[in-house]
Amino acid sequence: MSRNPARPLRKPISAALAPEEQAALALLHLEKGRFRDAIDCYKTLLKTGQRPEWLAGLASAYAGRAQALADKGMRREAIELWRSRAEVCHTALWEGPYAGWLMAEGRMSEVLGDLSRRRAASDGKADDGLAALEAQVAPGLLSADDAALKQLPAGSLLLQHRPLALAALAAYARQDAAALEEALAGISFRSPYRDLRSLLKAMALWETDREAARAAIERVPRTSPFEPLAAPLRSVLASGSERLQHWVRLNGSQQLIALDLLGCPRTWAPLLQALAGAKADLAPAELFDLVQRNARVLPEALATRVWQWLAPWAQRRGCASPLIFGKPSQAHQECATALAVEIKGEFGHAEEHWLDAVDLLASSKDTDDRLRAAMVLRHMATRKKHLSREGMLDKAGAGYLTRSLEFDASDCDVHVRLVAYWRHHGDLKKARERLDAGLSLFPDSAALLGEAVETALATSAFKKAATTARRLLALDPLNRKVRTLLGNAHLSHAGKHIAAGKLEPAKKEIEEARSWLGAAAEQGRLQLLLAWTEAQGSPERLRLAQLAVTTWGGGLAAGWRLLREAQGSFARVDLASANWLLSEAGIDSAKALAPADVLGLVQVLEQEAPVARKGAAPLAPWRKALAALASAPLFDAETTVRICEAWSSHKEHDLLEKFATAARKRWPDWPVFVYHAVAARFGKTGGIATERDFDDLERAGKLAQKNKDFKLHSRIEALFEADDPGPDFDDSHPMEGPPLQVLQALREMLEQTIMMDGGKSFLKKARDSFGDALIRQLEKECGGDKKAFFGRLIELTMAEMARPFGQPFQPATIINKAAPAKPIAPAQGQEGLFDE
C-alpha cells in the first residue's frame, strides 16, 4: 500500500548569518516572489534591530503574500494577513486592496462604517486617501441595500451622486441618449462615479464612432474600480488579432458583455475560446476542423463564407463535403475546388474548374456573381503560366481578359494589358479598337495614354504619338517615361524623314526632341541622327557621329546602338555599309574584343527592346569574334546565363547556340543551358529538329521542376507547345465539312503523331486538356499496356472533338469495362508508361 510522500520541511533561517547577509537573502526572496521566506527572513532581522528598510520589506512581503492568497480565491486569509501587516508593520489598514476584499466577501457594512468614521474625523478637510476609498467603494455601493446606505453621512458624494449613476445606467440600458446625457451631466469631476461617467460615454459612442469611443475609454484608468466593466469594451475596441487575445483574458461575465457589444450570440463563446487557444501557426486544414466542430453556432451565411475560405486547404474532406457547414452554391463549390486543385499545383486541372465556375457565375443575374466571374478570369490570365518573362500575356490569357470585360469593364489595367498584347503581336487594328474602348471609360488614364503613344509609334504615326504624349505630360509633368516617349517620338519621326531624304524637317524634329531627352543613351541617339542630316564626309557629320559614340561610352555597345539606329533610318544596311558607318564614327570592328566589351553589350541589350531587322544584324561585324569567345572560360555560370538571356531576347540565335552549347559542357547540371541551346536551334529551324533535342529538353524540364525553377519549366513547356501545337480542343470554332470525314481524318492524324514520337507530344496535350487526374485513372485502368492506353486516350480526344457536332463530352463516364480488375504487370523489358 503506497503512502503519500511527506511534504519537505522548510529550512529554518539560520541566525548565524550576519545581518547584511540575511537582508540580502530576504531581498532576494522578495524579488523572486517567495513571500513566505521573505517574511521569515525579515522577522528574524527585526529581532536584531528595528531598521526602517527591514520594516518596509516585511510590509511588502506581507502585501505580496496576501495578494497571492486573494488571487487564489482565499480572500478571508488575505484579509487576516493584511490586518497582521498593519499591526506588525504599523501601516494603514485601509489602503490597497483591503476594502475591495471586504466588499467581495459581502462585508460592505464594515467598509461603510470605517468610511463614515473617517469622513466625520476629517471635518470637511480634503483627504486624498479618503477620496480614493470612496471611489473604490462606488461600484459596490450601486447594488448595496438601504441598511448599508444609512451608515453614510447625508453630505457624502457617494449618496448624492448614486441616483444619477443609477439613472445613467438605466438610460444606457434602454438606449435613451437624452436621458443618459442629462444624468451624466450631474456627475462632477470630483465625484466617486467620475470613471463611470467616461465609461458610459465610451459605450454610447461604440455604435456610432469607434475612434471617439477608443479615445473616451482611454480616459478611464486601468486601475479604476470600474475597470471590470471597462475591460470588455477595451477588448472589442482592440484591432485585428489582438481583439481575440484581449477577449480570452476576460472572465466569463466580461466575455459575455463583450459578445453583446459585438452583437454576437453568446453561443459563440466556446468557438472563440477554441480559436484563442489554437497555435498561431495553425495549419488551414486544422483550422477547418476546429471551426467545423463549432460550426452549428454560426449563421448560415457566415458558415458558408467560412467554408469558402477554409475548404480548399482541407484536402481530407473540405471540398469533398460542401454541406459540412453552411450551404455553398454550385458556383461556390466550383471556385473552392478550383482553388484546392491549384494549391496542389495542378494548374491545368484547376483551370477547368475555374472555367466551370465562370459559366455558373455568368449565368446568374446577380451583379456580384458576374463581378466574381470577371475576377476569376483575371486570376487565371495573370498566372505565370500565361505570362512571358516580360509579363506579356499569351493567347489564352488574352482570351480570359477579353471575356472578363463582358462582365466588368471597370478595370483599367485589363484594357492596358490587352492593348499591349495586341500591339506586341502586331495586330495594331485590334490594339486601337481596345485602346478606344479603354479611353472612352478612362480618358485620363496615364497607363492607357502611354499605350496610345506606343501604339502610334508602332504604326509610324509620329505626330499623333507626339500629340498624345503632350496630353499625357499635361496630366503627369514629372513622368520620366512620358518625356522619353515624347522625345523618342520626335526622333523616330526624324529618322523617317532621313530615310526619305527630307533633311530639313528631320532637323526640326531633332531640335524639338532636344528639350525632352536628357539620358546619355537618348542624347547619343539625338547626336547620331543629327550627324546623318549633314552631308556625307563633312567634318560636322564626322564630329557629331563620333560625339554620339563617345556619349554612348564607345566600344562594342556603342557600335551595336549605331547599327541598330541605322536600320531604322536607312532603307537597307548590309555588312559593307555597316562597316562604313562604323568607321565614320571612329569604331574599329576588327579590334579584338575583351570580356568587358561583352558585358557592356549585354547591359545595353537588357535595357533596349528588340526591333525588326532590315538587312544585316547589328552584331554582324563582330559575329565571328563573339563566337570565338563562347568556348573560352571567361565567364562564370550566372554571367553566362545572363549573356544567353540577352542573345535570346534579341533573337541572336547563332550566338545563343554557341554560348549555350559551350556552357552545357562546363555546367551539365544546369538545365537552363539545355533550354537555350534547343531554343536557339528552334529559332533557326522553326521546330525541335532531332529526337535527341526533344529528350534533352524533356529531362531539363524535369530537372527544373525538381529544382523548383517553375519559370524555366514553364518556358520549356511553352517551347514544346510551339514545336507541336497538336489538336486544338477549342470548340469556339466548329469544324467544317462532313462530320464523319473530319473526325476520321483527325483520328488518322493523331495516330500518325503517336507513331512519329512515341506519343510524347500527344500525351502532353492530353494532360493539359483533360488534367492529371483523368490521365492517371486511364493509366491505372490500362495496367501499363501502352497501346491500350493511347487507344483509350484517342477515343477520349475524339469524344471531345465531336462536341461541335452535338455529341456531349463527359469524361467521368468513360470507363473501360473490358479492363481487368487488377493492373496488368508490364512485359519483361517493358518500362512503365511514365518512367521516362
Side-chain angles (χ1 to χ4, degrees):
M1 183 175 179
S2 63
R3 296 177 58 187
N4 293 328
R7 295 179 61 182
L9 296 175
R10 295 174 59 209
K11 294 181 180 180
I13 304 299
S14 175
L17 293 176
E20 290 75 12
E21 295 176 350
Q22 288 188 0
L25 181 60
L27 184 60
L28 178 63
H29 287 318
L30 189 61
E31 291 174 349
K32 296 293 185 180
R34 298 191 289 262
F35 300 115
R36 294 178 63 184
D37 294 335
I39 290 171
D40 292 341
C41 282
Y42 281 119
K43 282 183 176 181
T44 303
L45 281 169
L46 289 171
K47 291 178 181 178
T48 63
Q50 294 289 320
R51 293 187 185 180
E53 62 269 21
W54 295 346
L55 202 61
L58 180 60
S60 299
Y62 269 122
R65 177 62 178 159
Q67 186 63 58
L69 292 173
D71 292 341
K72 296 177 182 179
M74 303 169 66
R75 283 187 291 270
R76 292 183 182 180
E77 291 80 357
I79 290 170
E80 294 303 322
L81 196 60
W82 196 267
R83 287 179 175 173
S84 299
R85 172 179 180 268
E87 293 175 2
V88 175
C89 303
H90 312 295
T91 57
L93 177 63
W94 292 92
E95 67 177 7
Y98 179 68
W101 295 338
L102 288 175
M103 289 187 289
E105 287 294 307
R107 296 159 66 173
M108 176 65 77
S109 59
E110 294 183 35
V111 180
L112 295 181
D114 181 78
L115 185 60
S116 300
R117 288 191 296 271
R118 293 176 63 182
R119 173 60 66 183
S122 66
D123 195 18
K125 297 179 181 179
D127 187 345
D128 294 338
L130 186 59
L133 181 59
E134 287 182 335
Q136 190 175 2
V137 171
L141 199 65
L142 292 175
S143 59
D145 54 20
D146 294 339
L149 295 176
K150 291 179 181 179
Q151 300 182 53
L152 292 172
S156 172
L157 292 179
L158 284 171
L159 279 180
Q160 292 178 2
H161 293 167
R162 182 174 180 272
L164 293 172
L166 292 174
L169 288 170
Y172 173 77
R174 64 176 183 270
Q175 297 185 346
D176 188 343
L180 175 61
E181 188 65 30
E182 181 181 357
L184 293 179
I187 300 176
S188 67
F189 179 74
R190 296 183 299 106
S191 172
Y193 303 97
R194 59 183 177 273
D195 290 341
L196 178 65
R197 182 172 179 264
S198 299
L199 173 60
L200 290 178
K201 281 190 175 182
M203 296 182 78
L205 289 168
W206 155 252
E207 297 289 344
T208 57
D209 191 343
R210 300 289 173 87
E211 290 302 320
R214 189 174 286 108
I217 198 64
E218 289 302 321
R219 289 194 289 270
V220 179
R222 294 183 183 271
T223 57
S224 169
F226 289 96
E227 179 60 22
L229 189 58
L233 183 59
R234 291 189 198 276
S235 69
V236 299
L237 283 170
S239 59
S241 59
E242 293 181 0
R243 174 180 293 178
L244 187 59
Q245 299 306 318
H246 279 276
W247 180 86
V248 78
R249 288 195 291 266
L250 304 176
N251 60 38
S253 300
Q254 291 172 328
Q255 289 179 352
L256 296 181
I257 294 174
L259 290 176
D260 290 340
L261 288 172
L262 289 170
C264 300
R266 296 188 172 189
T267 54
W268 284 22
L271 173 59
L272 296 178
Q273 290 282 5
L275 289 173
K279 298 180 295 184
D281 57 347
L282 188 66
E286 297 174 0
L287 184 59
F288 177 89
D289 292 336
L290 186 151
V291 176
Q292 191 273 326
R293 289 193 293 270
N294 299 272
R296 63 185 180 278
V297 303
L298 297 176
E300 182 177 299
L302 180 58
T304 300
R305 182 66 59 86
V306 173
W307 181 88
Q308 289 177 254
W309 290 336
L310 298 177
W313 301 91
Q315 298 182 7
R316 184 167 57 88
R317 56 174 180 166
C319 295
S321 305
L323 301 182
I324 199 165
F325 55 88
K327 292 184 178 179
S329 65
Q330 189 66 30
H332 292 157
Q333 294 179 40
E334 282 295 340
C335 287
T337 303
L339 183 56
V341 176
E342 188 172 300
I343 291 170
K344 291 169 63 178
E346 300 177 5
F347 301 114
H349 189 197
E351 282 199 359
E352 297 176 11
H353 286 287
W354 283 127
L355 291 173
D356 290 341
V358 168
D359 293 338
L360 291 169
L361 292 168
S363 63
S364 172
K365 297 181 180 180
D366 189 348
T367 304
D368 290 340
D369 284 343
R370 296 178 67 82
L371 288 175
R372 290 186 63 203
M375 292 177 64
V376 169
L377 288 167
R378 289 163 191 167
H379 168 73
M380 289 192 295
T382 53
R383 290 206 59 82
K384 289 183 178 179
K385 176 182 179 182
H386 299 299
L387 295 176
S388 67
R389 286 177 297 160
E390 298 78 18
M392 190 62 62
L393 293 166
D394 65 1
K395 182 179 179 181
Y400 292 151
L401 286 189
T402 302
R403 188 183 177 192
S404 75
L405 294 176
E406 300 175 10
F407 311 121
D408 174 33
S410 63
D411 191 333
C412 183
D413 182 62
V414 174
H415 296 277
V416 174
R417 283 181 175 272
L418 288 175
V419 173
Y421 169 80
W422 292 118
R423 177 172 54 78
H424 180 75
H425 285 79
D427 195 335
L428 299 180
K429 180 181 178 181
K430 288 187 177 180
R432 286 192 296 268
E433 290 174 355
R434 180 54 54 200
L435 187 62
D436 293 340
L439 288 174
S440 65
L441 296 172
F442 310 98
D444 296 330
S445 168
L448 270 178
L449 289 173
E451 286 296 330
V453 174
E454 298 198 34
T455 303
L457 290 174
T459 57
S460 298
F462 300 115
K463 288 186 177 180
K464 183 177 181 180
T467 302
T468 307
R470 282 191 172 85
R471 179 185 169 193
L472 180 53
L473 197 59
L475 295 172
D476 189 2
L478 300 179
N479 193 319
R480 171 72 184 174
K481 182 180 179 182
V482 177
R483 300 177 68 87
T484 302
L485 284 174
L486 181 56
N488 283 328
H490 285 294
L491 290 183
S492 297
H493 201 189
K496 186 177 180 181
H497 284 314
I498 292 172
K502 301 176 181 180
L503 301 184
E504 288 304 319
K507 289 182 179 181
K508 292 181 180 180
E509 292 293 336
I510 293 171
E511 288 303 317
E512 188 70 25
R514 190 183 297 276
S515 59
W516 303 109
L517 300 176
E522 299 158 356
Q523 286 293 319
R525 185 187 180 201
L526 185 149
Q527 293 158 358
L528 183 65
L529 290 175
L530 193 59
W532 290 342
T533 62
E534 302 293 334
Q536 291 186 6
S538 65
E540 183 65 12
R541 177 180 177 121
L542 296 178
R543 184 186 72 82
L544 288 172
Q546 293 171 11
L547 179 61
V549 169
T550 303
T551 304
W552 280 332
L556 176 61
W560 180 85
R561 286 184 183 274
L562 187 149
L563 294 183
R564 185 171 183 261
E565 193 63 40
Q567 289 183 340
S569 301
F570 300 110
R572 188 172 184 83
V573 181
D574 57 15
L575 184 58
S577 58
N579 284 322
W580 180 79
L581 288 171
L582 290 172
S583 63
E584 183 183 55
I587 296 177
D588 183 8
S589 60
K591 183 180 178 181
L593 297 179
D597 295 319
V598 179
L599 295 179
L601 174 63
V602 167
Q603 184 176 5
V604 172
L605 294 178
E606 292 171 341
Q607 296 171 353
E608 299 293 339
V611 295
R613 297 174 180 173
K614 294 187 295 184
L619 287 177
W622 300 278
R623 191 174 301 281
K624 291 183 179 179
L626 287 171
L629 295 177
S631 57
L634 301 174
F635 309 103
D636 58 21
E638 294 289 349
T639 304
T640 306
V641 171
R642 186 181 167 196
I643 294 172
C644 289
E645 295 290 351
W647 299 149
S648 176
S649 65
H650 287 267
K651 295 181 172 51
E652 293 287 349
H653 300 306
D654 291 331
L655 291 173
L656 175 61
E657 181 180 9
K658 291 184 181 300
F659 272 81
T661 302
R664 284 186 63 183
K665 297 177 181 178
R666 295 185 62 193
W667 301 286
D669 296 333
W670 286 58
V672 64
F673 296 124
V674 177
Y675 163 76
H676 279 305
V678 177
R681 288 189 283 272
F682 183 96
K684 293 190 292 185
T685 63
I688 301 177
T690 65
E691 186 73 18
R692 180 177 179 180
D693 275 352
F694 191 98
D695 293 340
D696 288 347
L697 193 61
E698 194 171 43
R699 283 191 292 270
K702 292 179 180 178
L703 184 57
Q705 194 169 26
K706 180 181 178 181
N707 297 338
K708 296 186 178 181
D709 189 350
F710 301 116
K711 185 176 180 180
L712 176 59
H713 181 262
S714 64
R715 295 172 73 183
I716 292 174
E717 292 295 308
L719 191 59
F720 279 129
E721 178 75 18
D723 175 60
D724 184 11
D728 187 3
F729 296 153
D730 184 7
D731 60 355
S732 59
H733 303 287
M735 293 178 288
E736 299 178 355
L740 293 179
Q741 295 179 14
V742 172
L743 294 176
Q744 184 60 32
L746 289 174
R747 179 188 292 273
E748 293 176 359
M749 181 190 71
L750 294 177
E751 291 174 348
Q752 292 176 2
T753 301
I754 295 172
M755 291 176 61
M756 290 176 60
D757 63 356
K760 295 178 181 177
S761 59
F762 174 57
L763 178 60
K764 178 185 176 301
K765 283 295 299 182
R767 199 183 288 277
D768 291 340
S769 300
F770 301 128
D772 292 337
L774 187 57
I775 298 299
R776 287 196 297 267
Q777 177 187 345
L778 290 179
E779 181 198 17
K780 183 177 180 180
E781 292 176 359
C782 294
D785 189 338
K786 194 170 184 178
K787 183 177 180 180
F789 171 78
F790 278 110
R792 294 282 308 283
L793 204 53
I794 289 177
E795 294 300 326
L796 193 63
T797 305
M798 298 308 300
E800 171 70 1
M801 290 183 170
R803 287 201 303 172
F805 302 116
Q807 301 296 326
F809 172 59
Q810 299 177 350
T813 62
I814 297 180
I815 300 176
N816 186 5
K817 295 182 179 179
K822 296 183 179 180
I824 302 174
Q828 185 174 4
Q830 177 184 0
E831 294 181 350
L833 183 59
F834 302 101
D835 290 341
E836 300 170 356

